[in-house]
Amino acid sequence: MKKIQLKPGMTLVVHPTTQFKTLHIAVDFAAPLLTHTISARALLSYLTAVSSQKYPDQQAVAQKTIDLYGAQFQTDVVRFGQTHHVRYHLQLPAPTYIDHAEHLLGDAFAFLRDMIFEPLVTGDQFDQATFDKERQSLINELASLPDDKRRYAMLKLRELTYSAPAMRLPSSGQVRDVEQLTATDVLATYRQMIANDPVNIVVYGDIDAERVVTELAKWPLQARRAMMLQPFYRQGLRPATVELSEAQLDINQAILTLSYQLSLPPDDPKRFTALVLNALFGGSALSKLFTNIREKASLAYSIYSRWQHDTGFMTVAAGLDADKVAQTDRMIQAELKAIQAGEFSDEIFDAIKTSLINDYLSQQDSPNSEIELVFSRLLTQRETSTAEWVAAIQAVTPAQVSALADQVILQGRFTLMPEADA
């Protein structure tokens, strides 16, 4: 792996590998997470996914990806702590494995350049027809969030949990903000992104760094001032748990969601203990929530926990019958207390750590996971080698996990209940 500073505010990481027959090019634009820019950034990711000056509609874009031997092009928005990211990702067959494809690599980088830096703009706004269509697409996606009951419940829990307004919002914004956006507004946001956002580029596949640098020299990359991004978010402890329950007619089972605060400083070595704690609590098939609540007690159809290092919160979500919510809630708290008391076997504890390590190592078999890891390291400016990560997990003791579990404090509870149709 080779890291190259292309220009101030622009970093390239090339990860040469012959493990896969695909080549991945990913470009990340990072900015502070702000309530007034989230929706516009999400919409510009839609616009630059389907059109550019050279490829003015979705059909032209699709035809070009076919010409690139069936390449896959996608855009996305991602939140990490207090940062918001617009990402572009092109996956194509590695040119080294295709006969008579001498121009494939150059064509791929040129296509990405066109899609990112040459948007379909007329005057000082995005093409109006394209803008109207994509704005409606984003509105439709956001409006459909309540139809995905699990995701809806987690979004409501997020609203209850976080103090900062931007942290409460979905990473793609909200309908009322998107409705108010104009083609001029979003172009201004786009120009701000292109001119000021720190840019990270990751190229993963059978390729050498020199060739990548040569291709990127053809991109209109301009140096930018250093920006102080805050990838981690922490908030003060609330004096009491915030609770909300909502009933809906169109569901036949309840969803219980809980948020717990575990505010370790981002660089605290106990973050590895937190990973083991989460896996033991509800983050694996060997966890207490899964084995005792789902398998043995049959209280939930699904249940899991997740620790979010970027925010310091651990969340639990369970799908279950409405008449089992209270019992399940009590049992979740009891299982946490059991961990605090050290009530788990050495055999399970060791198996949990082995499972964590195996899952981590298996990510190396996924280009997307590897690219995500590189972006995370570039953002946090913290690199932990595989050997260091494995050693840190192996060093975690049962006593450390129990002690850390004492710091897990319930802060939010949202329950989505089925409502009887009168």
Side-chain angles (χ1 to χ4, degrees):
M1 188 179 299
K2 189 171 184 178
K3 184 162 71 172
I4 301 167
Q5 194 73 30
L6 296 172
K7 290 184 178 181
M10 294 188 164
T11 303
L12 166 68
V13 173
V14 180
H15 192 312
T17 178
T18 57
Q19 183 177 0
F20 306 99
K21 294 186 177 181
T22 53
L23 180 69
H24 298 254
I25 309 168
V27 184
D28 177 279
F29 291 84
L33 182 72
L34 302 172
T35 54
H36 64 277
T37 61
I38 290 175
S39 295
R41 288 171 65 88
L43 183 49
L44 73 85
S45 79
Y46 270 61
L47 290 162
T48 53
V50 300
S51 63
S52 68
Q53 292 289 350
K54 189 170 183 179
Y55 308 103
D57 54 45
Q58 199 160 8
Q59 183 177 356
V61 173
Q63 183 58 55
K64 182 58 183 179
T65 59
I66 292 171
D67 295 342
L68 292 171
Y69 293 84
Q72 298 177 29
F73 173 62
Q74 64 185 40
T75 66
D76 200 4
V77 287
V78 179
R79 178 198 357 241
F80 189 98
Q82 297 183 82
T83 63
H84 192 260
H85 305 255
V86 177
R87 288 189 183 166
Y88 300 85
H89 187 175
L90 182 67
Q91 174 186 326
L92 65 153
T96 51
Y97 296 101
I98 299 178
D99 293 334
H100 310 298
E102 296 82 3
H103 302 293
L104 178 56
L105 188 66
D107 287 349
F109 275 94
F111 170 70
L112 262 182
R113 179 195 64 215
D114 292 333
M115 298 304 296
I116 298 173
F117 296 101
E118 297 292 337
L120 188 60
V121 170
T122 303
D124 285 328
Q125 66 174 56
F126 276 97
D127 174 74
Q128 191 65 52
T130 305
F131 176 85
D132 291 342
K133 179 181 178 182
E134 295 309 313
R135 180 176 59 179
Q136 190 60 50
S137 294
L138 178 54
I139 288 171
N140 292 345
E141 179 191 331
L142 293 172
S144 70
L145 288 179
D147 296 334
D148 184 337
K149 301 308 177 183
R150 292 180 183 277
R151 189 176 177 189
Y152 174 75
M154 293 304 293
L155 287 173
K156 297 298 289 186
L157 181 69
R158 170 175 284 277
E159 292 176 9
L160 286 180
T161 297
Y162 294 109
S163 301
M167 293 296 297
R168 299 187 194 128
L169 297 178
S171 58
S172 294
Q174 49 191 349
V175 171
R176 66 175 179 268
D177 291 339
V178 177
E179 288 176 337
Q180 294 173 5
L181 290 172
T182 68
T184 302
D185 295 334
V186 180
L187 181 59
T189 300
Y190 166 82
R191 287 173 172 166
Q192 175 81 7
M193 180 188 85
I194 292 296
N196 299 320
D197 281 14
V199 181
N200 290 319
I201 303 171
V202 179
V203 181
Y204 186 96
D206 190 3
I207 194 171
D208 63 85
E210 290 74 15
R211 181 65 193 279
V212 174
V213 171
T214 299
E215 293 298 336
L216 290 178
K218 304 171 187 176
W219 285 22
L221 300 174
Q222 301 297 324
R224 60 234 27 236
R225 294 178 181 178
M227 183 182 293
M228 295 299 295
L229 295 174
Q230 298 180 352
F232 295 102
Y233 172 83
R234 296 294 185 269
Q235 70 183 37
L237 191 66
R238 289 173 172 169
T241 302
V242 181
E243 301 187 44
L244 180 66
S245 181
E246 180 180 315
Q248 292 186 6
L249 285 170
D250 57 341
I251 57 175
N252 53 26
Q253 72 176 49
I255 300 174
L256 170 67
T257 63
L258 306 164
S259 60
Y260 297 85
Q261 192 160 327
L262 179 57
S263 291
L264 294 176
D267 291 324
D268 195 319
K270 290 197 289 289
R271 66 184 182 275
F272 296 100
T273 306
L275 289 171
V276 179
L277 166 60
N278 176 67
L280 178 61
F281 184 40
S284 75
L286 298 172
S287 69
K288 283 184 167 290
L289 298 188
F290 187 87
T291 58
N292 293 337
I293 295 179
R294 183 186 184 277
E295 296 296 294
K296 293 180 182 179
S298 298
L299 290 176
Y301 303 115
S302 64
I303 189 166
Y304 67 90
S305 70
R306 178 178 175 232
W307 181 59
Q308 297 169 267
H309 181 215
D310 60 329
T311 67
F313 276 89
M314 181 182 294
T315 56
V316 173
L320 65 171
D321 291 331
D323 60 355
K324 296 178 179 178
V325 169
Q327 182 184 359
T328 302
D329 196 343
R330 289 192 298 270
M331 194 165 179
I332 290 171
Q333 312 315 322
E335 295 298 343
L336 179 58
K337 285 183 171 61
I339 295 175
Q340 294 168 346
E343 296 173 4
F344 48 89
S345 69
D346 291 340
E347 181 182 6
I348 288 294
F349 187 78
D350 291 341
I352 287 282
K353 293 200 296 184
T354 298
S355 176
L356 267 175
I357 291 170
N358 289 340
D359 287 346
Y360 182 80
L361 295 177
S362 70
Q363 292 179 15
Q364 299 178 7
D365 294 328
S366 166
N368 289 332
S369 295
E370 284 288 285
I371 291 169
E372 184 67 34
L373 182 59
V374 173
F375 280 141
S376 175
R377 287 173 172 172
L378 291 171
L379 176 66
T380 62
Q381 298 183 357
R382 185 178 65 210
E383 294 199 21
T384 304
S385 70
T386 298
E388 290 170 336
W389 196 95
V390 170
I393 293 295
Q394 289 174 332
V396 174
T397 67
Q400 290 171 336
V401 167
S402 294
L404 189 61
D406 280 330
Q407 301 177 36
V408 175
I409 302 172
L410 184 62
Q411 292 283 273
R413 176 188 286 109
F414 175 77
T415 310
L416 186 61
M417 298 286 284
E419 183 177 282
D421 189 351

